[in-house]
Amino acid sequence: MMFAVVDCDNCFVSCERVFQPELLGKPVLVLSNNDGCVVARSNEAKALGIKMGVPVFQIKDLCRQYDVQLRSSNYVLYADMSNRVMSILREEVGPGKMEIYSIDEAFLTLDIKMDYHAWGEALVKKIGQWTGMPVSIGIAPTRTLAKAATWFAKHYKGYHKVCVIDDEEKREKALRHLPIDEVWGIGRRLNERCLAAGIETAWDFTQRGATWIRRLFTINGLRTWQELRGCSSLTTVVTGDKQTICTSRSFDHTEHEQGRLEMFISHYAAHCAQKLRAQKSVCQMVTCFIQTNHFRTDLRQRDASITTTLHTPASSTNEVVGAALKAFRACYEEGYEYKRAGVIVSGISTEGAVQQYLFDELTPQQREKLNKLSAVVDTLNRKMGNDTMMLGVQQFPKEEKTGATLCYNNLIRHDHRSKCYTTDIDEIIRVE
């Protein structure tokens, strides 16, 4: 059995370039919500020394000097392009042989002996022709070695986007040239521990004894060691349902008005509820937190959070939003300029394991009605676009000056956002 890792190259940047070919060859940055920090970089931007997560205002002179192209995050576009790539992979290997690891990466199980390099090159070409997305593929007898092969496929043009490690000679050669901090499963702390022990490459790591590895790096480090030595010890890469879900944002400006903050909180809570339903779960605790800007020492500082407990675990938008607003009103205080807020749902269990509270405010029929309503809203939003239908509290009252009704999306800064070419008929690409 062999494993293949298919990884979209610079995923967010590549999604932008599919419909804007003028960006090819130019340094491109994709920014976080409110255009605050760098969340994705093209290879050209990396070559300029721009780091991931750096605030945009710190590199504005560099961007101006080298004509760096900025794009606001467009997650609707990225998710749709990812789904297109994943559907090709699913069709390629068949059901039950693909594990989606992230928005830009998937593991495939190859249980048929074949010319792996030719198969990989054909798949790279197919994905490129059908979606425009560039991908790199690593193939090896274990998942960790396949991840290592992907690193070589990305960084060395001679592999033509496909690297195969299928014998002992190739394994040793790859591990001798793979820096230890590029090994899947070796984080920052473990990397520091490795360097302190004189381990600089993946090959150095595999030459240590199992007992020493287990003592310094626990069972997870031992599994990585076994995988690098060619022994498959990871049964799955999918971690299962989330046990905690958080939705939070920093505002592009400070907020003090309670009504506007309630709109943000309700929107975050609605998104948490939607994620709960997507994994067929319910939550019992809803936490709301609000924070001021700690960098503004000239302002009064406050950091508060309150948790509301639901007697009967729920996932309907109405109940989760109601609990979040209850928590928010308990921790909100006037006289502060708030910069960040969020909602966390926890105490998550499967929706089929809910025990009704004896003194519940809602009858089983009322709760079933709310659940059906949420399901209808989810269906409409999937078909018509996110937030097509929402609760009234997710919209802010009309502005006094313009008379226009604001909603959450109007208040997120995205000065450089591209169009939703594949999901919005009004923004479909036009060819002249």
Side-chain angles (χ1 to χ4, degrees), residues 21-63:
E22 67 273 15
L23 297 179
L24 291 170
K26 295 182 179 180
V28 181
L29 300 176
V30 176
L31 311 179
S32 62
N33 286 309
N34 292 315
D35 294 345
C37 303
V38 174
V39 296
R41 306 160 294 163
S42 67
N43 291 334
E44 295 82 3
K46 294 175 185 178
L48 295 176
I50 298 175
K51 304 296 184 183
M52 185 72 81
V54 64
V56 177
F57 75 87
Q58 293 183 3
I59 57 171
K60 59 181 181 181
D61 292 336
L62 184 67
C63 292

Side-chain angles (χ1 to χ4, degrees), residues 102-381:
S102 64
I103 190 173
D104 64 343
E105 194 171 8
F107 286 80
L108 309 179
T109 301
L110 308 177
D111 53 9
I112 301 175
K113 194 165 183 62
M114 62 178 87
D115 184 340
Y116 297 113
H117 200 277
W119 173 84
E121 286 193 338
L123 184 57
V124 168
K125 183 178 180 181
K126 181 178 182 179
I127 294 173
Q129 288 179 336
W130 289 20
T131 69
M133 293 289 289
V135 299
S136 297
I137 300 178
I139 303 173
T142 72
R143 291 177 173 87
T144 305
L145 280 174
K147 287 280 289 183
T150 308
W151 187 83
F152 287 102
K154 279 190 172 190
H155 290 82
Y156 292 89
K157 293 182 179 180
Y159 286 107
H160 303 290
K161 294 295 184 179
V162 180
C163 177
V164 180
I165 300 175
D166 55 359
D167 59 38
E168 186 60 25
E169 182 182 351
K170 292 179 181 178
R171 184 185 74 85
E172 180 177 341
K173 180 181 178 181
L175 297 187
R176 285 186 181 278
H177 290 85
L178 184 67
I180 188 62
D181 60 345
E182 296 294 342
V183 174
W184 185 46
I186 301 293
R188 182 180 57 83
R189 279 179 53 198
L190 291 185
N191 179 51
E192 293 174 355
R193 202 175 295 177
C194 286
L195 294 177
I199 299 174
E200 297 182 356
T201 66
W203 178 255
D204 297 336
F205 187 78
T206 61
Q207 298 311 295
R208 299 300 176 101
T211 304
W212 186 86
I213 293 290
R214 175 69 183 267
R215 178 166 51 85
L216 253 67
F217 302 100
T218 70
I219 186 65
N220 291 328
L222 181 61
R223 290 194 181 112
T224 299
W225 178 83
Q226 291 171 333
E227 289 256 324
L228 289 173
R229 291 170 67 93
C231 178
S232 182
S233 60
L234 295 176
T235 57
T236 181
V237 297
V238 180
T239 58
D241 295 339
K242 296 180 180 179
Q243 297 304 304
T244 302
I245 296 174
C246 175
T247 302
S248 64
R249 297 286 187 275
S250 293
F251 314 132
D252 64 337
H253 57 279
T254 56
E255 289 282 359
H256 66 274
E257 189 174 335
Q258 183 175 355
R260 293 172 71 92
L261 287 167
E262 286 187 357
M263 182 197 66
F264 284 111
I265 293 299
S266 61
H267 202 88
Y268 302 155
H271 273 241
C272 287
Q274 185 180 18
K275 293 175 183 177
L276 279 172
R277 294 190 294 273
Q279 67 177 35
K280 300 186 184 304
S281 300
V282 291
C283 72
Q284 189 148 29
M285 291 177 286
V286 180
T287 302
C288 170
F289 65 87
I290 49 177
Q291 301 169 347
T292 53
N293 189 346
H294 299 306
F295 296 103
R296 290 288 303 274
T297 55
D298 57 316
L299 299 176
R300 297 174 64 197
Q301 298 296 318
R302 188 162 186 270
D303 190 339
S305 66
I306 294 288
T307 299
T308 299
T309 301
L310 299 171
H311 293 301
T312 300
S315 63
S316 70
T317 300
N318 299 64
E319 292 177 273
V320 176
V321 169
L325 289 177
K326 180 180 178 181
F328 167 74
R329 289 160 186 161
C331 66
Y332 172 78
E333 283 189 18
E334 294 183 352
Y336 292 90
E337 295 289 333
Y338 296 101
K339 181 63 176 176
R340 181 178 175 83
V343 173
I344 304 171
V345 295
S346 54
I348 294 176
S349 57
T350 57
E351 60 183 8
V354 175
Q355 183 173 351
Q356 191 81 15
Y357 179 59
L358 182 61
F359 303 105
D360 197 349
E361 296 177 356
L362 298 176
T363 65
Q365 293 77 16
Q366 290 173 320
R367 189 172 299 282
E368 183 181 1
K369 187 176 180 180
L370 287 178
N371 290 334
K372 287 182 177 179
L373 176 62
S374 296
V376 170
V377 171
D378 289 344
T379 301
L380 286 172
N381 285 337

Side-chain angles (χ1 to χ4, degrees), residues 60-125:
K60 59 181 181 181
D61 292 336
L62 184 67
C63 292
R64 192 180 301 112
Q65 180 181 355
Y66 292 98
D67 191 28
V68 177
Q69 301 296 304
L70 304 179
R71 292 295 181 270
S72 303
S73 52
N74 187 347
Y75 297 117
V76 175
L77 173 66
Y78 307 153
D80 184 68
M81 295 299 292
S82 171
N83 289 336
R84 293 173 184 232
V85 173
M86 297 305 170
S87 66
I88 295 173
L89 299 181
R90 193 175 291 109
E91 182 182 291
E92 185 73 21
V93 296
K97 296 182 180 180
M98 183 178 87
E99 298 172 89
I100 297 177
Y101 183 61
S102 64
I103 190 173
D104 64 343
E105 194 171 8
F107 286 80
L108 309 179
T109 301
L110 308 177
D111 53 9
I112 301 175
K113 194 165 183 62
M114 62 178 87
D115 184 340
Y116 297 113
H117 200 277
W119 173 84
E121 286 193 338
L123 184 57
V124 168
K125 183 178 180 181

Side-chain angles (χ1 to χ4, degrees), residues 375-425:
V376 170
V377 171
D378 289 344
T379 301
L380 286 172
N381 285 337
R382 278 196 299 270
K383 289 182 178 180
M384 308 298 291
N386 287 337
D387 304 323
T388 298
M389 179 174 287
M390 62 179 71
L391 298 178
V393 72
Q394 291 177 246
Q395 289 188 319
F396 191 70
K398 292 183 178 180
E399 285 189 311
E400 294 181 3
K401 293 182 179 179
T402 64
T405 300
L406 296 177
C407 68
Y408 169 81
N409 290 327
N410 299 131
L411 299 177
I412 294 181
R413 182 177 178 183
H414 43 71
D415 297 340
H416 311 283
R417 189 183 75 85
S418 55
K419 295 181 179 180
C420 295
Y421 302 101
T422 62
T423 57
D424 189 336
I425 193 65

